[in-house]
Amino acid sequence: MSPPLVFPDTAQGLAAAMGHPAFRIGAPDQPPPVPHDLPVFETLTSGSTGQPRRILRTQGSWTASFAVNACFSIGPGARVAVLGRLVHSLALYGAVEGLHLGAEVHLLDALRPDRQRKALAEREITHLYATPAQLRLLVEGGGLCPDLRLVLVGGSKLDARLHSALAGMAPAAEVREFYGAAETSFITLADGDTPEGSVGRAYPGVEIRVEAGEVWVRSPYLFLGYAGGKGSARWSDGWLSVGEMGRLEGGFLYLDGRAGRMVTVADQNVFPEAIEALLETMPGVNRAAVLPVPDPRRGVVLVALVKGDRAVEAAVMARLRAELGPLKAPRALIWQVDWPVLPSGKTDLRGLEARLTWPG
């Protein structure tokens, strides 16, 4: 067996890695992947609540879903683009899938969002893999992407305002949202029949069950384990949980948030992700993160760090109190001039926590 290799986070590195029995893109300071009896590779978690974790999975756990996604016309003649760095799983997945299925692949992570949008049009990109965080930056400014036929969105829920802006940028594109994690790959896929608030039905080949509010999955797409340390995912008799809480209704999955981010405010369990999603639907709010802070009377209260138009503060606070009630609604909005993000494009929650000063 050839020795395991670590390749740089570049198109050349990806081309060199393809077909190698054990590889990782990026993280050159970490030990090489350990050989396995099946071809394997390593990618990273997003690291939104801490240090990114190295994920070890078989190459077959991804190629199994490539066959499913061929129905999206990803293949010869298609031009696939990814916006993030290959070191993280969503961008790496989109690029490897495109190459595996014979598409032309474009890596746009080195470009600013306005130049990414221009590149999508000039290069006649037909398929795009992106997160909502990346798309929020992409839709700002002018210019159409008339050749874009499919946008595959993962990482978090796509709100109605962003969906509308995306339709304005790429009027011919179908938008398909999926839910998953670096540890699980695809879990659900949404379509036109998906109810508002749901992340869709089980992706082909995936089984989902919810026990005590926790989402568990079983599928051929699951990872082998963490490399170089422990992570948050847990196994039980072939089923895997990444700590997501939610419910199944009529075959559709609805998510509340990660158990690790849940906080208790005056004896009520609150998921910050739900409040963040609500905030990002409001006019004038571009980005939002909800964090707990100590409170002498309630133990914990919530504050929201936001980026956007400070002039909407009164209207935003009034709507939060009306929809969430006085206990769950953030006590204040703390406006940010810039927004820290991770290489995956997700909000850097640790970075925001470091900025937070709250008098109580």
Side-chain angles (χ1 to χ4, degrees):
M1 176 180 288
S2 301
L5 294 179
V6 177
F7 294 91
D9 181 15
T10 63
Q12 293 82 3
L14 181 58
M18 294 288 287
H20 201 276
F23 72 89
R24 180 176 70 247
I25 299 292
D29 58 325
Q30 299 297 315
V34 176
H36 190 267
D37 56 352
L38 295 172
V40 294
F41 70 101
E42 288 182 12
T43 182
L44 299 179
T45 64
S46 64
S48 55
T49 58
Q51 284 294 109
R53 299 287 186 181
R54 286 160 47 211
I55 296 292
L56 178 67
R57 57 167 58 249
T58 67
Q59 295 175 25
S61 68
W62 269 12
T63 58
S65 57
F66 296 168
V68 176
N69 290 350
C71 70
F72 294 133
S73 299
I74 301 173
R79 295 182 179 89
V80 176
V82 297
L83 303 180
R85 291 176 54 199
L86 294 180
V87 70
H88 287 284
S89 60
L90 177 63
L92 181 63
Y93 180 93
V96 173
E97 177 182 74
L99 293 173
H100 183 87
L101 296 175
E104 182 179 299
V105 173
H106 296 253
L107 310 180
L108 305 183
D109 64 289
L111 302 178
R112 297 191 319 242
D114 59 329
R115 294 181 179 175
Q116 287 179 334
R117 181 165 172 161
K118 185 177 180 182
L120 293 177
E122 291 180 345
R123 303 185 193 186
E124 300 178 344
I125 299 300
T126 58
H127 295 69
L128 175 65
Y129 269 95
T131 68
Q134 293 164 346
L135 291 172
R136 286 188 186 94
L137 298 174
L138 190 69
V139 298
E140 295 177 358
L144 294 177
C145 300
D147 298 289
L148 203 52
R149 293 293 180 268
L150 180 69
V151 181
L152 286 156
V153 184
S156 62
K157 196 81 178 70
L158 192 68
D159 63 79
R161 185 155 57 101
L162 181 54
H163 198 291
S164 177
L166 190 56
M169 183 192 78
E174 178 187 9
V175 178
R176 296 295 298 272
E177 295 182 69
F178 61 88
Y179 160 62
E183 296 92 338
T184 64
S185 194
F186 291 96
I187 294 177
T188 65
L189 185 65
D191 57 22
D193 296 327
T194 301
E196 184 177 355
S198 170
V199 293
R201 287 176 281 219
Y203 183 84
V206 174
E207 298 175 77
I208 303 173
R209 72 185 189 197
V210 177
E211 295 182 354
E214 187 172 9
V215 179
W216 292 83
V217 297
R218 183 166 65 181
S219 82
Y221 319 121
L222 304 180
F223 80 145
L224 291 171
Y226 295 102
K230 294 182 179 180
S232 58
R234 300 175 0 258
W235 291 93
S236 177
D237 296 325
W239 293 79
L240 182 68
S241 170
V242 294
E244 198 80 55
M245 308 299 287
R247 66 189 188 279
L248 278 170
E249 292 182 2
F252 291 96
L253 181 64
Y254 296 79
L255 298 178
D256 296 321
R258 286 285 179 106
R261 289 196 66 197
M262 186 183 76
V263 296
T264 302
V265 181
D267 298 324
Q268 295 188 48
N269 292 334
V270 182
F271 291 94
E273 296 96 325
I275 304 174
E276 292 163 357
L278 173 61
L279 279 163
E280 289 178 351
T281 67
M282 298 184 188
V285 178
N286 299 324
R287 301 297 296 268
V290 175
L291 300 176
V293 294
D295 179 79
R297 287 195 302 155
R298 297 186 176 90
V300 168
V301 295
L302 301 173
V303 296
L305 287 81
V306 291
K307 183 174 183 290
D309 182 3
R310 188 186 292 263
V312 304
E313 179 165 340
V316 169
M317 289 299 293
R319 184 173 168 190
L320 287 171
R321 293 187 183 109
E323 296 198 20
L324 300 174
L327 295 179
K328 292 185 178 181
R331 297 288 298 276
L333 302 182
I334 302 174
W335 295 89
Q336 305 294 301
V337 175
D338 64 294
W339 196 258
V341 296
L342 300 162
S344 61
K346 290 187 176 182
T347 294
D348 182 356
L349 293 172
R350 291 289 179 90
L352 286 175
E353 287 174 356
R355 297 180 181 183
L356 182 58
T357 58
W358 176 249

